[in-house]
Amino acid sequence: MRFVLFFVCICFLSFSAARAEGPYQFLDWEITYGNISRLGVSQQAILINGEFPGPKIECQTNENLIINVRNNLSDPFLLSWSGLQQRKNSWQDGVSGTNCPIPPGQNFTYRMQAKDQIGSFYYFPSLAFHKAAGGFGAIRIYSRPRIPIPFPPPADEYTVLIGDWYATNHKSLQDMLDSGKELPPPDGILINGKGSTDAAHFAVEQGKTYRLRISNVGLQNTLNIRIQEHNMTLVEVEGTHTVQNTYSSLDVHVGQSLSVLFTADRPAKDYHVVVSARFTNATLLSTAVVRYAGSSGLASGPLPAGPTDDVDFSLNQARSIRTNLTASGPRPNPQGSYHYGSINVTRTIRLASSAVLVGGKRRYAVNGVSFAEADTPLKLADYYNISGVFRLGGIPDAPAAAATTGTAGGAATDDAPPPAATGTGDGAAEEVRNETAVMDSDHRSFVEVVLENGEDSVQSWHLDGYSVFVVGMDVGTWSNKSRDGYNLVDAVSRCTVQVYPRGWTAVLIALDNVGMWNMRSEVWARRYLGQQFYLRVYTPSRSFRDELPMPDNALLCGRATAAAATNSSRRLPLPRLY
């Protein structure tokens, strides 16, 4: 008996030590509504500690983040952390499928680790249409001092949050979508929360090199960024050091992040930073300023022209972004040493998006399924074995007639009724189901996912919990022969990928992170109206080696409240981190 207790204690202490790896950072955030005036209009925005955008998070690889979020809105609220992989810890992901909302007047403390990550990311509010009101901010994860970065340290680093913006209140936008209407085009573009009339500026000194960490935190538009009379060298994309190509302008698709270096090698004055929308009929443009020390004058001259709406330009630029195989990642081994191209694919998944009308209202679907929000977070339903919340196998592996069947399996959540609806998308008939559908997958499988876009707009997809190898993209129809053109050597690894109009993008994913993970469109109206689902990466073991236990501070809601009361012995709390 003493040996058993000793063994349990040693295991617990070992687990605690593993969780305690790296220093701790404690943040206390108050979420409020506040009035701001952007684009010449006063409107309600979401502020964090009174700031718009919210505070910047700066941490180092393996640092632990303890973020207490106090919700002083009149609405339930959650924050999600775009790009943080939440290793073994989807409990902290902050989306409706994993977490109960923070009720008005209450708080929740996120406890997460930047485990084996570096790079540029951002956070945002994930519920309702809150993202259209702000509440977003930058995340920087720095390399540890002993891990070299593949370029000289810059003189300074600047966050550049770019995004399209509506002058209309976010609740009015949500009402439009709920009533079945499409959103109008955005009204403008913000750079670090400012428009051109109150432009953001970046101070530089002649001859020095600076890093810009750029994130497209907008709702729908691809944005192009350029600096007047300066070139940019791409060095990092969502945690991956890249081949250091030089560009005069860069497309940043909605939801994406990247880092560039530029050298202040021009005469000392002000220069425009221009951000403009791509692939849209509406002309949207905003400017910021690079201001040299001792500037002799304001920015002047014609704004640097961006590329035309030619898809080929953007496609070729995307193909040029590749992994720097000689650079270290978060660990002291070259990041390119992971030979993904020699791993056997265990499963191919094709995901086709569509725009449809269901009951006269606009919906969006994936393989014929439009996601329906559940009354209980799917992660909690899975943990407590609550039936009827979601259906495993509800998303088929290909856009075919079989999409109306689905295959159940795994936990006892496979008996949720699949309500059917007939949708009509852009003149073509399509059977669409509104369903809380989950795709099941095995832990440590290696999958090929092909994202197919049959529409005339650029789409953007994101997978929580992972980075994916972007091995191919093109216009036209994907086929087995398309694999002949895959990059199986130095494809960039990132968490958000674009799919061009009437085209496809192929990614390879090593499913090594157990949990319930949101796969979604980053075009926020599409996600809100159904273009998302959850990927359940499953292992039958309940081992700390594979997944961290349910946090002791987890909020309960829906059917999980009663389930927790009758299954309290199943809840294994995390060791307190503070």
Side-chain angles (χ1 to χ4, degrees):
M1 182 65 178
R2 289 180 178 176
F3 174 80
V4 172
L5 289 174
F6 176 78
F7 178 76
V8 170
C9 289
I10 290 296
C11 289
F12 183 82
L13 289 172
S14 297
F15 172 71
S16 300
R19 287 288 299 166
E21 183 183 35
Y24 285 77
Q25 185 175 162
F26 298 85
L27 302 172
D28 191 47
W29 287 359
E30 183 179 17
I31 313 299
T32 60
Y33 281 128
N35 288 328
I36 64 170
S37 182
R38 302 295 185 271
L39 309 179
V41 176
S42 179
Q43 62 189 132
Q44 185 184 64
I46 293 175
L47 312 180
I48 301 179
N49 290 352
E51 298 180 30
F52 175 84
K56 176 176 58 185
I57 295 176
E58 294 183 277
C59 64
Q60 199 174 91
T61 300
N62 290 345
E63 187 169 339
N64 296 284
L65 297 171
I66 314 299
I67 306 177
N68 181 42
V69 176
R70 290 178 284 133
N71 177 20
N72 287 328
L73 305 183
S74 55
D75 312 301
F77 185 78
L78 278 176
L79 283 172
S80 191
W81 320 89
S82 185
L84 262 67
Q85 292 182 12
Q86 308 289 6
R87 300 298 301 177
K88 305 191 296 184
N89 198 16
S90 65
W91 302 106
Q92 307 293 331
D93 202 30
V95 289
S96 61
T98 58
N99 295 84
C100 292
I102 307 170
Q106 296 188 31
N107 76 300
F108 175 72
T109 301
Y110 292 89
R111 303 185 297 200
M112 50 197 179
Q113 187 180 34
K115 179 65 176 172
D116 289 336
Q117 281 193 269
I118 58 170
S120 307
F121 311 100
Y122 68 95
Y123 61 86
F124 67 96
S126 63
L127 296 184
F129 219 60
H130 286 158
K131 194 179 181 188
F136 45 73
I139 302 173
R140 299 180 185 177
I141 307 178
Y142 298 107
S143 296
R144 289 172 286 181
R146 68 176 181 271
I147 308 298
I149 58 175
F151 48 86
D156 206 348
E157 300 190 8
Y158 290 108
T159 292
V160 187
L161 299 178
I162 59 178
D164 48 26
W165 188 257
Y166 284 90
T168 304
N169 184 281
H170 70 283
K171 292 185 177 180
S172 298
L173 297 174
Q174 184 176 336
D175 289 343
M176 288 183 200
L177 295 174
D178 290 340
S179 66
K181 299 177 182 177
E182 291 190 74
L183 295 184
D187 297 300
I189 293 171
L190 300 186
I191 304 175
N192 285 351
K194 298 181 177 182
S196 295
T197 56
D198 182 25
H201 71 275
F202 309 102
V204 301
E205 295 181 25
Q206 201 165 37
K208 294 184 177 181
T209 297
Y210 297 84
R211 181 174 183 172
L212 301 182
R213 294 179 182 257
I214 305 164
S215 295
N216 184 339
V217 298
L219 298 175
Q220 66 183 65
N221 286 130
T222 295
L223 300 177
N224 181 271
I225 186 168
R226 48 207 182 268
I227 306 173
Q228 188 178 27
E229 297 186 29
H230 294 74
N231 288 324
M232 299 174 289
T233 300
L234 185 68
V235 294
E236 176 255 333
V237 170
E238 292 163 10
T240 299
H241 288 129
T242 61
V243 172
Q244 294 176 15
N245 296 326
T246 298
Y247 303 90
S248 58
S249 72
L250 273 167
D251 283 348
V252 189
H253 301 275
V254 62
Q256 292 185 340
S257 299
L258 52 82
S259 287
V260 299
L261 300 178
F262 79 97
T263 300
D265 55 2
R266 307 299 297 163
K269 65 185 191 74
D270 291 0
Y271 296 88
H272 290 294
V273 179
V274 180
V275 177
S276 59
R278 300 271 275 131
F279 314 114
T280 177
N281 293 328
T283 302
L284 295 179
L285 182 146
S286 188
T287 59
V289 173
V290 167
R291 177 160 297 153
Y292 279 62
S295 173
S296 61
L298 300 177
S300 60
L303 297 179
T308 66
D309 282 343
D310 178 10
V311 168
D312 287 342
F313 172 89
S314 188
L315 180 59
N316 289 331
Q317 184 179 88
R319 288 169 172 163
S320 73
I321 300 174
R322 295 173 292 123
T323 294
N324 183 345
L325 297 181
T326 65
S328 291
R331 293 178 294 274
N333 59 297
Q335 61 183 3
S337 63
Y338 187 79
H339 298 292
Y340 67 92
S342 60
I343 302 174
N344 291 330
V345 170
T346 57
R347 180 181 179 187
T348 293
I349 301 167
R350 292 171 52 207
L351 300 175
S353 59
S354 57
V356 298
L357 294 176
V358 178
K361 294 185 177 181
R362 175 68 59 178
R363 294 288 298 181
Y364 297 95
V366 184
N367 288 0
V369 181
S370 186
F371 186 81
E373 294 283 0
D375 61 4
T376 303
L378 313 187
K379 182 64 179 172
L380 292 178
D382 196 32
Y383 183 78
Y384 287 115
N385 205 29
I386 305 170
S387 64
V389 175
F390 64 85
R391 189 164 73 94
L392 287 173
I395 294 283
D397 278 12
T404 58
T405 58
T407 302
T413 53
D414 58 358
D415 54 355
T422 299
T424 304
D426 300 330
E430 180 181 10
E431 286 294 321
V432 171
R433 301 192 315 278
N434 289 329
E435 185 176 346
T436 309
V438 172
M439 179 177 285
D440 206 16
S441 60
D442 293 328
H443 185 212
R444 302 196 185 283
S445 59
F446 191 72
V447 301
E448 172 191 40
V449 177
V450 182
L451 304 164
E452 301 178 357
N453 179 9
E455 301 176 58
D456 293 325
S457 59
V458 177
Q459 296 205 21
S460 186
W461 282 90
H462 174 91
L463 175 60
D464 283 351
Y466 287 92
S467 283
V468 304
F469 294 98
V470 187
V471 294
M473 60 176 62
D474 208 343
V475 295
T477 303
W478 181 88
S479 68
N480 291 334
K481 189 171 179 56
S482 301
R483 296 189 180 106
D484 295 342
Y486 282 5
N487 178 356
L488 298 180
V489 178
D490 61 355
V492 71
S493 179
R494 64 186 313 167
C495 57
T496 308
V497 298
Q498 72 273 23
V499 191
Y500 289 100
R502 309 288 173 179
W504 57 269
T505 295
V507 302
L508 299 178
I509 315 171
L511 294 178
D512 59 355
N513 195 13
V514 172
M516 186 77 70
W517 304 108
N518 191 217
M519 178 80 175
R520 62 176 176 265
S521 172
E522 284 293 314
V523 180
W524 216 243
R526 299 184 74 101
R527 182 202 188 252
Y528 180 78
L529 293 179
Q531 192 175 323
Q532 62 165 316
F533 63 91
Y534 283 82
L535 179 68
R536 177 184 184 249
V537 180
Y538 178 74
T539 176
S541 70
R542 283 188 176 268
S543 168
F544 293 168
R545 177 198 62 196
D546 297 326
E547 184 177 24
L548 298 181
M550 180 178 174
D552 58 357
N553 69 331
L555 298 175
L556 298 175
C557 57
R559 284 178 261 180
T561 304
T566 58
N567 294 276
S568 58
S569 62
R570 294 191 63 204
R571 186 167 177 171
L572 301 174
L574 281 176
R576 288 196 175 275
L577 301 182
Y578 59 98

